[in-house]
Amino acid sequence: MLSFKAGTGSIGKNIAIFNLVRYRYADRPNTFGEVKSQKSKVKIVLHAIENRYKLSSRLSTSVACVLLLLTTACSQGETKSAQSLEAINTNSAVAASNNISTLRIGYVGSVEPTGPLGWAKKKGILDRDLQKLGFKNITFARFPNGPDLNEALVAGQLDVGSLGDTPAIVLKARGVETRLLRITQFNTTAWLVAKKNGPRSLAELKGQKIATQKGSYMHRYLLGLLAEAKIAKDVKVVHLMTTEAKAALERGDVAAYATSSDLGPFLKSQGFPVIDSSANHQGLSGTSLVVATESFLAKQPDFPQKFNAVLTEATKDLKANSEEYYQYHAQITKYPVDIIKVSFPLQQVSEEPLPAEGVKLLEGTKNFLVSQGLAKSNFKLTDWVVNKQQR
């Protein structure tokens, strides 16, 4: 039987700590910028942080302490922030064996993957079918967002990634050699939720601060929405992780937050006003993708077809047993079942790898990111998709 486990290693921790410093201290984190390789990791982190963000001497001292921890493994105390612990735990799984008998999957989300991938894992479909390809182990690594998962792909710590369209497109546009295997969900809704006793319309957001998780499909939605409303220059967009959104809205730190398909309706149920959702606009909703590195596929040319067969079977099964699936999804994410049913309607989950509606939405997202300079270069989706004979 296949073993599902997490590995350990220093590179993933280095990436996590770099992102912790980047997100905490940078006003505009480099979620769309160039991802560095794993070579000279400590020097690269220091150079990237000091030069990109022009740190103060006080911050440079903080960074030096972080780097000292990386290089000497010494401890300056037992207290760690919840975010730093989360970042380290998130990335600790990515350094599993690079042996081809181990399949290394990264995903963005909860403690366990959800959707077709999570259901295939839970129901044993992955175990049964991938063993036939010679995989003895499957490791799952959870990431708080797509840009962090991208960095693990670039560092060679993952074979397969399950993430949103925006970070996946941005990575491909940099010339990183990945292949699109599947669209697992399309028309994923993003929500713009306001603080209580705050703005109630887009016009009232002028001069205000809006937060979102930068580099995500919600970020792309927000940018598109502001452009449509012609107020992009009249608001300030800042980075904030979804885990901090509710507290920030309650404190009034931000006027509004562009959030995910599940947190949006949950905040609404808690009395936070909804200003807008991507469902009201054509082309602003998201897609969830599965990509793989070309180096991995070169060693496993039959993988796309087998993996897609696994996800197709899992999709059919979760639709046939929807109540059981929704209970599982709710248990994993800690949201009520009725919220999950709103955020994960089964018609958004395709049984085929590349549904036409999803491809059209993905093309529009790509073109928008290129037009805004958020994706470095344009490319044809047909060149990104894995060869037809492999699907």
Side-chain angles (χ1 to χ4, degrees), residues 37-269:
S37 71
Q38 59 183 321
K39 295 180 180 179
S40 305
K41 185 62 62 178
V42 172
K43 292 182 180 179
I44 288 172
V45 170
L46 180 60
H47 175 79
I49 296 175
E50 287 187 337
N51 286 282
R52 188 172 297 277
Y53 306 121
K54 305 182 186 300
L55 297 179
S56 65
S57 59
R58 180 180 178 184
L59 178 53
S60 296
T61 300
S62 299
V63 172
C65 291
V66 172
L67 296 177
L68 181 62
L69 287 173
L70 290 177
T71 53
T72 65
C74 64
S75 172
Q76 296 185 357
E78 296 300 323
T79 303
K80 296 182 180 179
S81 71
Q83 184 176 358
S84 64
L85 285 171
E86 169 70 12
I88 292 173
N89 290 335
T90 292
N91 288 277
S92 65
V94 298
S97 168
N98 197 32
N99 191 304
I100 198 63
S101 65
T102 297
L103 174 63
R104 303 166 302 170
I105 301 175
Y107 67 97
V108 176
S110 304
V111 177
E112 292 285 341
T114 55
L117 178 61
W119 198 239
K121 178 177 184 290
K122 174 178 171 56
K123 302 295 281 189
I125 305 172
L126 272 175
D127 186 321
R128 183 197 69 205
D129 286 13
L130 295 187
Q131 185 171 274
K132 299 174 184 177
L133 286 175
F135 294 111
K136 297 179 181 178
N137 304 302
I138 301 177
T139 64
F140 281 85
R142 180 170 72 93
F143 294 84
N145 53 39
D148 284 359
L149 190 153
N150 278 350
E151 290 167 358
L153 283 170
V154 171
Q157 296 177 304
L158 296 174
D159 305 309
V160 175
S162 175
L163 69 169
D165 49 16
T166 295
I169 289 170
V170 168
L171 186 65
K172 177 60 179 178
R174 292 192 193 108
V176 177
E177 295 181 343
T178 63
R179 287 282 186 167
L180 175 61
L181 303 187
R182 191 181 186 94
I183 296 174
T184 54
Q185 185 181 2
F186 59 93
N187 280 333
T188 309
T189 305
W191 299 75
L192 184 61
V193 181
K195 64 181 181 180
K196 297 175 181 178
N197 302 316
R200 293 295 183 272
S201 67
L202 291 173
E204 293 178 29
L205 288 172
K206 288 184 178 181
Q208 303 281 345
K209 184 189 296 184
I210 307 173
T212 192
Q213 188 165 295
K214 287 194 172 183
S216 65
Y217 84 94
M218 303 91 73
H219 186 197
R220 178 267 184 274
Y221 153 71
L222 178 60
L223 296 179
L225 177 66
L226 297 177
E228 278 190 10
K230 295 181 171 49
I231 60 171
K233 295 181 180 180
D234 300 318
V235 301
K236 183 177 182 180
V237 177
V238 298
H239 172 77
L240 188 70
M241 299 295 286
T242 55
T243 52
E244 302 172 28
K246 185 173 183 288
L249 289 169
E250 288 174 333
R251 293 191 302 265
D253 295 345
V254 295
Y257 189 83
T259 190
S260 59
S261 61
D262 45 14
L263 182 56
F266 176 75
L267 291 175
K268 181 181 178 181
S269 72

Side-chain angles (χ1 to χ4, degrees), residues 322-323 326-327 336-347:
S322 59
E323 289 304 317
Y326 279 132
Q327 289 291 337
V337 172
D338 60 335
I339 297 295
I340 299 304
K341 289 183 177 181
V342 171
S343 67
F344 194 80
L346 297 182
Q347 63 266 28

